[in-house]
Amino acid sequence: MADISISNSSTAAVGSLSVEALAGPQKRARKEALIRSVFLLASLVSILISVLIVVSLVRESWTFMTQVDWSVTWGQNGWRPRRGLYDMPTLLVASLIVTVIAMLVAGPLGLGAAIYLSEYASKKTRSFFKPILEVLAGVPSVVLGFFALFFISPQVIERIGRNGWLVIGAVIIIAYLAVIAGWTRNLVRREAGTELATQIKRVLTLTALVATALILIWWVNSVAGSGDPASADFFSVKRSGQLAAAAVGVGILTIPLVASVSEDALASVPQELRSASAGLGARKLTTTVQVVLPAAVSGIVAAFIIGISRALGETMVVFMAGGAADEATFTSSPFEGSLTMTAGMASLATGTDNVVGEGLTFQSLYFVGFVLFLLTLFLNIAAGRFVNRVRERY
Amino acid sequence: MGLSTIGDNQVARRVEDEIFRSGRDLRGTGFRTLMFSALAVSVFILAVLIVQVVVDGWPTLSGRFGDFWSGTLRSRSSDDGLGISQGLKGSVWIAAFVAFFSFPIGVSAAIYLEEYAPRNWLTNTIDIAIRNLAGVPSVVYGLLGLFLFVKTLNGGQSALFAGGLTLAILVLPIIVITSAEAIRAVPSSLKQGAYGVGATQWDVIRTQVLPFAAPGILTGTLLSLSRAVGEAAPLILVGAITGRLAARDSSLIDQLGERFTAMPIIIVGWVRNSGADEGFGPAAGAAIVVLLALVIAMNSVAVLLRGYFEKKRG
Amino acid sequence: MAKRTPSVIAGLRGPRVNAEDIATDDSVDTDMADAVPATTGQDRGFVAEDIVFDASDLSVYYGDFRAVRDVNMLIQRKEITALIGPSGCGKSTVLRSFNRMNDLIPTARVEGDLLYRGVDLYDPRVDPVEVRRRIGMVFQKPNPFPKSIYDNVAYGPRVAGRKKGLDDVVESSLRKAALWDEVKDRLQESAIGMSGGQQQRLSIARAIASDPEVLLMDEPCSALDPIATARIEELMAELKDEYTILIVTHNMQQAARVSDRTAFFSVEVDETSDRRTGLLVEYTTTEKLFSNPDDERTENYITGRFG
């Protein structure tokens, strides 16, 4: 340690600096602070907007809630704002119908697409389908409204309504086919590798082809036969738009959202889990259904909740294809026309240049909006919780 | 068939089957097929949609292509002057509002959140606000626009600036979230390298963060532009015109205070009119072809751009 | 061998030795000094006006967690000082506190004193940007900016507001980094296409271009092959004439080859919380540390019994 020494013991070393030398120019510090505060200001805009939304909703709906005769908001058998009847059940039930049907479309399709993309698809397949889903996500809702009104409604919904027996028949046949398939599968498994199995496979393939052809012919036939206006509806279907058509349209709009959030959830499941499962001799199906899906379940729940929130808030498709304008009579049938909360708001605002209505009409708009806002806010917060749960786990 | 030499062919084949049975895993194949069909159906729907719309709209579009661009809103579909010029103008204005307001404010907010924000209650609040705003239904933004711009600022009169600002507000959270993601992807080694030679925070943002994040920010901005151009609900709420619009020649600034329409609004109006005047249906189809082409083009450019840069960076 | 000032020396010898020990155990120290073969004949003492850094009782925290504690070091001008130790011992953390790079981690904070040429680096009036212009840094992985070679080197001077004479700065920096001959014909090409060793020398050139006094190198060779490593080591020996260099390295041979002084850091595991805190065990001349360390832990480490 003797090699450690100080050869000059003077405390005021020649090489020392003053603090000012390291302080940097004032101008630079001021510039940096200014830039920082500009960015801060920009980020505060989001808080300002949130506050303004809440203030505008609360202000006008407060007026509505304090001045309205509450009896006109319940059990009036119809939403007729211009006549002072603000029956909330009409809008709420229609919203419920649309949301449920939309999720019946978007849920399985979105989740299925996500599972395929995340678990099965090769890189090439992925890079083909992902952009297409993104294009679907970007289709404006007015386009879906048009599509729902001019295609889904006449070509799908009215046909289902008119040919109820056809639908029921199709369900029976599919169930029948499933039973046959199950039985054949067992047979094939038992006779694995034998001539018989090969034969069965051949027969099965042929049957499937024939069945597909038959169904196609049947479908084309029913299209041609549907020209008869006298044919009685199996269900009572409203022509020119009904909730079901709009709901299917909303569902289509929601598919990419459900798909992308589910896919994120599946992607966040660690690869080791899959390897571990495969290492134990599990098949791909077992791994996917019993390991990956349970691990991603929170995220998939979140995807569904976000989908519900989106479907609930979708306006234009229902407004255009929901089969009701300006006012709606209460209905609980998806084959009738009605107004959801959102479509009710949109139709209140159209038809007149001056958006300010008489009496409480204007305020009712905000009351409905406030209810919608609270519902979607609740759903989004719930979805956020579920998403975080996945993130925390892995 | 290497095992067949054992003698008992039957046994050998059984063993082989046990090992190589994946080809006969019916349930697995079935499930895979089912999942694939979900994806295929989604894509198929998109194809049907596009074909259907083009079939509906093509006659109008190809028959009177030139007139359709320059034409205006009319009360009868048979009117030769029918067209979408006012809608195009309105949509261009809306895109301009998004570009001038949402883009700078959104990117700045993203920079603050990713590069400056300390971990405190204010940052948390901003974060929560942005996340929740992104999930607010578009029609509610329309209510805000109606209250703030139309009723409070413009005496109850609808105006172009109200529509533009409402949509600018609507897409702001999207721009913030996508830009923040792009900024988060900037490698910290680049930032550290810059700080290490005495760059200030602004230097680092200007010379490292923004150039690297630019493609991602651009992608997000394009996506939100196309969202704004396709959005109708908020515009209906703030009183965009679905019927005839008085033809007037006014200066750019004056137009901001005038009544307006936009592409999606024209489509809605025509679809609703088609009940009484069937000719509006194909006209709406034609307008949709134009709108879809515009939106899909923007989206595709955005998606391709992102893919290109992702590939380039490995 | 030399006269000494106990009050300063207290800071030289690691945490376990304090001023009183030195005052009372003077004779012991002298004995031990005799044990060191004085082969170089060089004076390894500190010259007061040439002390660049003076760290006393320096600790670095991340939030509540103390990453490294009790660092007492003097750094001599125009010398190479190596920081070695097992991973997790906080040597990089200490290095980064020397030019306030730790400021970039929001939860990081420093306790104790760290003087740079007599100025407290963590004085609220000190601007970290100014500090980093005087104390440059080279990182573990080569991190060229996705710009041209020229723009990489000119980056520092440019952000410092320099607009004229950039060509000269770029050339002289590249020359000092022994890279000029290899790249002079492709200055406008992207730096991303260079080899790892070239990229790291470019990082050094980039640091030099800001005209710093000190270069901090955080395991600069860990991502390089042996040949590129040798070139960097050669380069460091040349740069020593002009710059004070601190280098963190995993590689003990490297520390032994290039440095004048070496600080050995170790890790202490808290049994209850399982948290690992780094600490400075021994700091002395490289020669002594590797031939005759005072501390058993140093001995164990350099002979490969631990870490």
Side-chain angles (χ1 to χ4, degrees):
Chain A
M1 287 284 160
D3 48 314
I4 295 169
S5 59
I6 299 284
S7 55
N8 186 339
S9 61
S10 71
T11 41
V14 184
S16 65
L17 292 165
S18 67
V19 181
E20 284 71 31
L22 292 180
Q26 277 276 304
K27 206 178 131 195
R28 186 172 73 206
R30 272 203 301 271
K31 184 179 158 199
E32 289 289 316
L34 180 74
I35 289 167
R36 183 197 163 96
S37 43
V38 167
F39 289 146
L40 172 63
L41 223 58
S43 71
L44 290 177
V45 169
S46 61
I47 294 186
L48 178 73
I49 292 172
S50 305
V51 170
L52 282 172
I53 286 179
V54 173
V55 166
S56 64
L57 289 177
V58 168
R59 229 183 97 121
E60 301 295 329
S61 39
W62 180 252
T63 315
F64 180 82
M65 287 189 282
T66 48
Q67 295 184 10
V68 76
D69 171 7
W70 282 91
S71 66
V72 300
T73 66
W74 209 267
Q76 292 299 320
N77 201 33
W79 170 262
R80 299 182 173 84
R82 293 190 202 285
R83 285 191 265 159
L85 296 178
Y86 311 104
D87 184 47
M88 289 304 286
T90 305
L91 300 186
L92 290 172
V93 168
S95 283
L96 186 69
I97 290 171
V98 167
T99 308
V100 167
I101 296 178
M103 286 316 289
L104 286 178
V105 173
L109 288 180
L111 180 58
I115 291 176
Y116 187 80
L117 284 176
S118 151
E119 303 298 315
Y120 289 101
S122 66
K123 225 177 165 186
K124 218 171 155 191
T125 323
R126 259 183 75 84
S127 62
F128 174 74
F129 280 108
K130 276 254 354 175
I132 296 182
L133 277 186
E134 284 180 73
V135 168
L136 183 58
V139 172
S141 52
V142 289
V143 179
L144 256 305
F146 179 90
F147 184 64
L149 183 63
F150 290 121
F151 183 81
I152 299 173
S153 173
Q155 303 292 327
V156 182
I157 304 299
E158 283 182 35
R159 188 157 296 157
I160 288 176
R162 208 169 302 136
N163 304 308
W165 59 267
L166 198 142
V167 177
I168 292 166
V171 169
I172 290 172
I173 286 174
I174 288 170
Y176 176 74
L177 283 176
V179 170
I180 300 267
W183 175 76
T184 333
R185 185 180 60 91
N186 282 338
L187 188 73
V188 168
R189 190 183 267 174
R190 215 176 315 128
E191 301 294 329
T194 60
E195 261 322 285
L196 185 61
T198 331
Q199 296 255 321
I200 289 174
K201 218 192 254 171
R202 244 175 242 155
V203 171
L204 215 64
T205 320
L206 205 69
T207 321
L209 282 174
V210 171
T212 316
L214 279 176
I215 289 171
L216 272 176
I217 293 167
W218 187 13
W219 180 258
V220 170
N221 250 339
S222 70
V223 171
S226 69
D228 179 14
S231 70
D233 285 359
F234 189 84
F235 303 107
S236 138
V237 177
K238 183 184 187 296
R239 299 292 151 83
S240 72
Q242 50 305 91
L243 286 178
V248 172
V250 174
I252 295 171
L253 267 185
T254 319
I255 292 171
L257 190 66
V258 174
S260 84
V261 182
S262 308
E263 207 203 333
D264 284 348
L266 292 171
S268 70
V269 175
Q271 202 56 42
E272 296 88 72
L273 277 186
R274 295 184 182 89
S275 312
S277 171
L280 291 171
R283 289 186 194 171
K284 186 82 192 172
L285 171 64
T286 319
T287 305
T288 306
V289 174
Q290 296 191 3
V291 177
V292 179
L293 287 182
V297 74
S298 299
I300 292 168
V301 170
F304 276 66
I305 297 176
I306 292 172
I308 291 172
S309 163
R310 172 76 208 270
L312 206 55
E314 174 49 44
T315 308
M316 297 319 295
V317 180
V318 191
F319 178 60
M320 290 163 78
D326 300 335
E327 51 179 51
T329 310
F330 178 87
T331 177
S332 54
S333 161
F335 295 105
E336 295 284 333
S338 187
L339 290 171
T340 59
M341 286 187 281
T342 51
M345 291 158 69
S347 44
L348 242 184
T350 40
T352 164
D353 291 355
N354 196 351
V355 284
V356 184
E358 290 165 33
L360 288 173
T361 314
F362 179 76
Q363 283 76 15
S364 75
L365 200 62
Y366 282 81
F367 177 68
V368 177
F370 193 39
V371 173
L372 178 70
F373 175 76
L374 289 180
L375 280 174
T376 51
L377 185 67
F378 169 76
L379 288 170
N380 291 337
I381 290 173
R385 289 265 162 88
F386 278 105
V387 168
N388 282 339
R389 203 184 282 178
V390 186
R391 283 213 193 108
E392 276 160 25
R393 203 162 348 138
Y394 301 112
Chain B
M1 294 295 153
L3 290 176
S4 57
T5 48
I6 290 170
D8 188 348
N9 261 330
Q10 198 66 21
V11 172
R13 202 183 280 169
R14 286 266 164 143
V15 172
E16 223 170 50
D17 287 340
E18 284 298 319
I19 297 173
F20 299 108
R21 71 184 311 165
S22 63
R24 258 188 302 283
D25 179 11
L26 271 187
R27 224 193 310 184
T29 317
F31 182 72
R32 189 195 161 117
T33 313
L34 202 65
M35 296 302 108
F36 179 74
S37 46
L39 181 62
V41 166
S42 312
V43 173
F44 179 69
I45 291 173
L46 180 67
V48 171
L49 182 146
I50 290 175
V51 168
Q52 185 68 28
V53 167
V54 170
V55 165
D56 283 350
W58 192 249
T60 310
L61 206 55
S62 61
R64 35 193 300 276
F65 192 72
D67 298 341
F68 195 65
W69 291 103
S70 57
T72 54
L73 294 168
R74 298 294 158 116
S75 42
R76 274 175 302 124
S77 64
S78 53
D79 196 322
D80 281 341
L82 187 75
I84 54 171
S85 67
Q86 295 145 324
L88 280 174
K89 199 170 78 180
S91 287
V92 168
W93 264 116
I94 283 160
F97 267 94
V98 169
F100 278 105
F101 288 91
S102 313
F103 176 70
I105 295 178
V107 175
S108 302
I111 291 173
Y112 180 79
L113 287 174
E114 290 301 319
E115 296 294 319
Y116 288 93
R119 269 194 210 155
N120 59 18
W121 65 270
L122 182 66
T123 308
N124 251 340
T125 314
I126 295 171
D127 201 54
I128 291 170
I130 288 169
R131 260 160 231 301
N132 284 323
L133 282 179
V136 170
S138 60
V139 68
V140 173
Y141 282 96
L143 289 178
L144 171 69
L146 176 59
F147 172 80
L148 190 64
F149 303 126
V150 178
K151 208 180 161 216
T152 309
L153 292 181
N154 211 32
Q157 208 55 49
S158 170
L160 179 58
F161 85 90
L165 285 178
T166 304
L167 287 186
I169 290 176
L170 170 78
V171 299
L172 184 66
I174 308 174
I175 295 190
V176 177
I177 290 172
T178 50
S179 304
E181 254 164 40
I183 290 171
R184 213 173 303 139
V186 177
S188 74
S189 67
L190 286 186
K191 291 195 264 179
Q192 299 221 359
Y195 281 119
V197 293
T200 64
Q201 192 154 17
W202 172 235
D203 289 330
V204 173
I205 291 166
R206 187 170 49 89
T207 60
Q208 305 291 348
V209 174
L210 287 181
F212 192 94
I217 292 175
L218 201 62
T219 304
T221 306
L222 271 173
L223 287 177
S224 45
L225 261 182
S226 87
R227 165 91 193 268
V229 166
E231 194 63 67
L235 293 183
I236 285 186
L237 266 286
V238 298
I241 298 300
T242 54
R244 246 190 110 157
L245 199 63
R248 248 190 297 177
D249 288 321
S250 44
S251 72
L252 279 182
I253 300 300
D254 286 344
Q255 283 177 18
L256 287 176
E258 286 172 10
R259 301 193 303 168
F260 72 105
T261 189
M263 283 303 292
I265 300 297
I266 286 188
I267 292 163
V268 177
W270 285 350
V271 166
R272 284 173 78 84
N273 286 348
S274 68
D277 181 347
E278 279 197 358
F280 275 118
I288 284 183
V289 173
V290 174
L291 178 67
L292 254 188
L294 206 69
V295 167
I296 291 183
M298 277 198 264
N299 275 333
S300 310
V301 168
V303 170
L304 289 177
L305 199 72
R306 191 183 49 203
Y308 172 74
F309 280 99
E310 266 171 13
K311 203 177 252 176
K312 201 175 152 195
R313 292 203 180 112
Chain C
M1 214 165 185
K3 20 174 191 165
R4 56 168 69 153
T5 316
S7 63
V8 180
I9 293 170
L12 305 182
R13 311 179 51 207
R16 295 166 309 105
V17 183
N18 54 35
E20 288 139 69
D21 290 338
I22 292 165
T24 52
D25 292 356
D26 216 18
S27 56
V28 179
D29 275 350
T30 317
D31 289 347
M32 287 174 69
D34 293 341
V36 180
T39 46
T40 58
Q42 224 177 324
D43 183 10
R44 277 282 182 253
F46 288 93
V47 181
E49 65 261 35
D50 279 350
I51 288 173
V52 181
F53 289 107
D54 179 352
S56 45
D57 298 329
L58 188 73
S59 298
V60 186
Y61 291 79
Y62 295 118
D64 293 334
F65 168 59
R66 182 147 77 161
V68 58
R69 65 177 172 86
D70 302 337
V71 177
N72 291 283
M73 286 174 92
L74 293 181
I75 309 289
Q76 173 86 7
R77 202 156 100 96
K78 295 189 180 176
E79 275 190 358
I80 298 181
T81 306
L83 281 60
I84 64 168
S87 45
C89 68
K91 52 194 190 299
S92 286
T93 301
V94 168
L95 188 79
R96 284 160 168 268
S97 66
F98 276 37
N99 74 340
R100 294 192 58 174
M101 284 299 278
N102 275 340
D103 287 23
L104 302 177
I105 301 161
T107 55
R109 71 195 156 81
V110 164
E111 266 179 24
D113 289 323
L114 178 58
L115 303 183
Y116 166 66
R117 290 175 62 185
V119 181
D120 179 4
L121 272 185
Y122 286 86
D123 187 300
R125 285 170 292 176
V126 168
D127 182 357
V129 169
E130 208 59 44
V131 172
R132 293 180 200 131
R133 284 180 188 172
R134 288 168 180 265
I135 305 167
M137 185 137 194
V138 176
F139 298 85
Q140 188 168 357
K141 272 196 207 140
N143 57 347
F145 302 141
K147 302 171 189 288
S148 72
I149 295 172
Y150 184 97
D151 288 343
N152 262 278
V153 181
Y155 185 84
R158 275 187 181 141
V159 295
R162 184 162 177 175
K163 292 192 178 73
K164 282 180 203 156
L166 282 174
D167 290 356
D168 295 338
V169 174
V170 170
E171 179 174 344
S172 74
S173 305
L174 284 169
R175 276 189 195 284
K176 280 184 200 166
L179 196 59
W180 175 252
D181 293 331
E182 289 164 60
V183 300
K184 63 181 174 202
D185 298 324
R186 49 182 183 117
L187 289 176
Q188 294 310 323
E189 282 173 33
S190 168
I192 305 292
M194 303 168 88
S195 73
Q198 286 178 323
Q199 287 187 354
Q200 198 60 303
R201 275 179 283 146
L202 181 71
S203 301
I204 293 172
R206 192 173 68 193
I208 292 172
S210 297
D211 194 23
E213 186 181 351
V214 183
L215 287 177
L216 306 178
M217 299 187 170
D218 189 357
E219 301 192 31
C221 302
S222 67
L224 303 182
D225 61 57
I227 295 169
T229 301
R231 295 211 61 172
I232 302 273
E233 286 179 10
E234 251 170 60
L235 178 58
M236 283 164 64
E238 287 166 25
L239 291 173
K240 197 177 121 176
D241 294 342
E242 238 178 295
Y243 306 96
T244 307
I245 297 175
L246 271 84
I247 174 172
V248 163
T249 175
H250 250 109
N251 180 336
M252 278 184 284
Q253 284 75 25
Q254 184 171 59
R257 279 194 300 266
V258 301
S259 69
D260 300 299
R261 289 174 209 273
T262 301
F264 170 65
F265 287 76
S266 184
V267 196
E268 204 172 58
V269 183
D270 180 355
E271 298 292 342
T272 51
S273 64
D274 198 36
R275 283 184 149 176
R276 299 155 69 88
T277 301
L279 72 163
L280 175 61
V281 172
E282 187 164 359
Y283 174 43
T284 181
T285 60
T286 301
E287 203 179 281
K288 173 162 166 49
L289 191 112
F290 282 101
S291 57
N292 185 18
D294 283 339
D295 196 289
E296 200 187 340
R297 289 170 289 180
T298 317
E299 173 94 42
N300 287 343
Y301 184 75
I302 59 174
T303 53
R305 255 173 282 169
F306 150 72

